[in-house]
């Protein structure tokens, strides 16, 4: 008999072979810098829908989130409710992100902010805050190591190093095309994984009612009658993660994928694919956590509840596939994070901010080559930083990831939402709201939580949720009391697809291929 390790090796080799083929295809599609960092308008709704879902759902969705439900019961599903809000957030912003990418040639979310508000400060500040996603990458490494150590005889440290090496290699080689192609295929694996976990829970325990009865018998606070659980899902922290996770949908690694959609008319079909994906992930979180707790109530590491549940139901071959699928889920998100952080430094900070600010005389071709090389080198740097963080295993993978996610969400997601749907947002309002939102999250978690030890503030999404709320309110208030410095013709062009004639009348807007260089 082949056994678990043998099946893991078989599926692992097949998976890596598929990665190699897709990465090779990606290199053939990459013709220049913008192809490497964005892959603009290159893929249809199924590819982008699966890639968006896979990038949104990673070690947290497959391991960490079921681990929260395992530990907190139904109150942990405040996290899962946020999946539905994510799809709504995409529906609000995706059309404009795709349009802005095409019309403004935005290469990233920081680049979007810089061009949308004509603000080098917002481009640079959002690029710097993007680097907080190193905590998110560290969480992915930790999750990859958990999957590897459960399915193979390797150690935690060896698992982290192997996972990091594979991800770094294919992103450095293939860039955005490799990220999208691989993430979409990995998303398909994740859908199969979700179905396996849900079916395993029903086979091992029974229906949702049976799962609820089993966990409530262990501890009444785990049952469906308990809405809140301290401290992660208290009366504020529960709704806070619902809000913060929903708006996590607009963080840089996810927003950038909408720029690769081939046509804004396909947004609705992409959203349908994403909705299906997030529904399956919701089921994985709920069933994986509840049924995992029912069959194995005394796990030392809650994050492996999904693996333990499936191992008791399916044969070794299927269990090995589950392990590889979880690894695929982690790789899809990490690839996007690597590329996003690298672009923030090489493109947004160096090419688009530092070079113009210092008036360096560098020709465009040379600058593109420097940026391309810098992006690849920064992927390695971010890997080293994340590895240092990940070598100390976290109690909850999801909590570690939200240290980084929360910083960007609190600072920039409200601006992205308002800036996508309303032409009245002023650059001043955007700048002040970004600084305030970031400060609330950072001071709350690192100051009140980690330094002063206030228990509720040690939950990273508390500061993020409060920062989002305050920033979301500040944007319109400040926009009403500060002057609009953006030209009216610029706003008409990007929002209403109109151009103004010299006399102020509306001119028909030409198609993109009809626009002259001047």
């Amino acid at each position: 008999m082949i056994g678990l390790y043998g099946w893991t090796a078989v599926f692992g080799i097949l998976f890596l072979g598929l990665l190699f083929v897709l990465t090779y295809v990606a290199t053939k599609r990459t013709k220049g810098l913008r192809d490497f960092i964005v892959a603009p308008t290159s893929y249809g709704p199924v590819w982008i829908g699966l890639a968006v879902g896979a990038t949104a759902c990673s070690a947290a969705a497959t391991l960490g989130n079921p681990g929260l439900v395992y530990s907190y019961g139904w109150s942990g599903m405040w996290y899962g409710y946020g999946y539905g809000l994510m799809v709504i957030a995409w529906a609000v912003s995706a059309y404009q992100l795709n349009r802005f990418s095409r019309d403004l040639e935005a290469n990233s979310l920081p680049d979007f902010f810089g061009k949308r508000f004509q603000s080098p400060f917002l481009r640079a500040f959002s690029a710097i805050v993007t680097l907080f996603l190193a905590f998110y990458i560290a969480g992915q490494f930790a999750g990859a190591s958990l999957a590897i150590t459960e399915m193979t005889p390797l150690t935690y440290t060896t698992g982290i190093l192997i996972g990091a090496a594979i991800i770094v290699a294919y992103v450095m080689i293939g860039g955005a095309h490799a990220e999208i192609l691989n993430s979409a295929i990995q998303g398909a694996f994740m859908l199969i994984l979700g179905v396996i976990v849900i079916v395993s829970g029903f086979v091992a325990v029974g229906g949702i009612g049976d799962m609820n009865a089993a966990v409530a018998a262990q501890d009444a606070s785990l049952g469906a009658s308990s809405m809140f659980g301290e401290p992660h899902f208290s009366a504020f922290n529960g709704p806070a993660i619902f809000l913060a996770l929903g708006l996590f949908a607009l963080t840089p690694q996810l927003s950038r994928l909408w720029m690769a959609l081939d046509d804004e008319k396909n947004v609705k079909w992409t959203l349908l694919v994403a909705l299906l994906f997030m529904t399956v992930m919701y089921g994985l979180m709920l069933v994986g956590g509840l049924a995992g707790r029912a069959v194995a109530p005394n796990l030392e590491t809650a994050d492996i509840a999904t693996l333990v549940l499936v191992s008791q139901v399916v044969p070794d071959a299927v269990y090995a596939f589950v392990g590889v699928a979880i690894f695929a889920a982690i790789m899809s998100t990490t690839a996007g994070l690597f590329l996003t952080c690298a672009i923030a430094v090489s493109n947004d900070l160096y090419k688009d901010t530092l070079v113009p600010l210092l008036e360096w005389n560098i020709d465009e071709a040379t600058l593109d080559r420097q940026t391309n090389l810098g992006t690849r080198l920064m992927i390695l740097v971010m890997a080293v930083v994340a590895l240092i963080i990940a070598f100390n295993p976290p109690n909850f993978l999801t909590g570690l990831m939200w240290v980084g996610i929360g910083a960007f969400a609190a600072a920039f997601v409200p601006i992205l939402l308002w800036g996508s749907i309303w032409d009245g947002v002023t650059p001043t309002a955007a700048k002040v709201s970004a600084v305030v939102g970031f400060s609330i999250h950072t001071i709350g978690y690192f100051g009140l939580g980690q330094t002063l030890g206030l228990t509720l503030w040690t939950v990273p999404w508390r500061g993020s949720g409060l920062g989002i709320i305050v920033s979301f309110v500040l944007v319109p208030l400040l926009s009403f009391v500060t002057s609009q410095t953006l030209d009216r013709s610029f706003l008409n062009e990007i929002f209403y697809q109109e151009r103004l004639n010299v006399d102020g009348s509306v001119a028909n807007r030409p198609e993109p291929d009809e626009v002259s260089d001047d």
Side-chain angles (χ1 to χ4, degrees), residues 54 143 151 162 169 187 194 200 217 261 291 296 298 315 394 401 413 432 496 501-502 511:
M151 313 301 293
I162 291 175
S200 296
L261 183 63
N298 298 311
M401 296 172 193
V413 166
V432 173
Y496 310 113
N501 294 317
V502 176
E511 294 299 317

Side-chain angles (χ1 to χ4, degrees), residues 381-397:
V381 172
M382 293 305 300
V384 172
V385 172
L387 282 170
I388 292 171
I389 299 172
F391 273 131
N392 182 24
N395 291 328
F396 289 107
L397 290 174

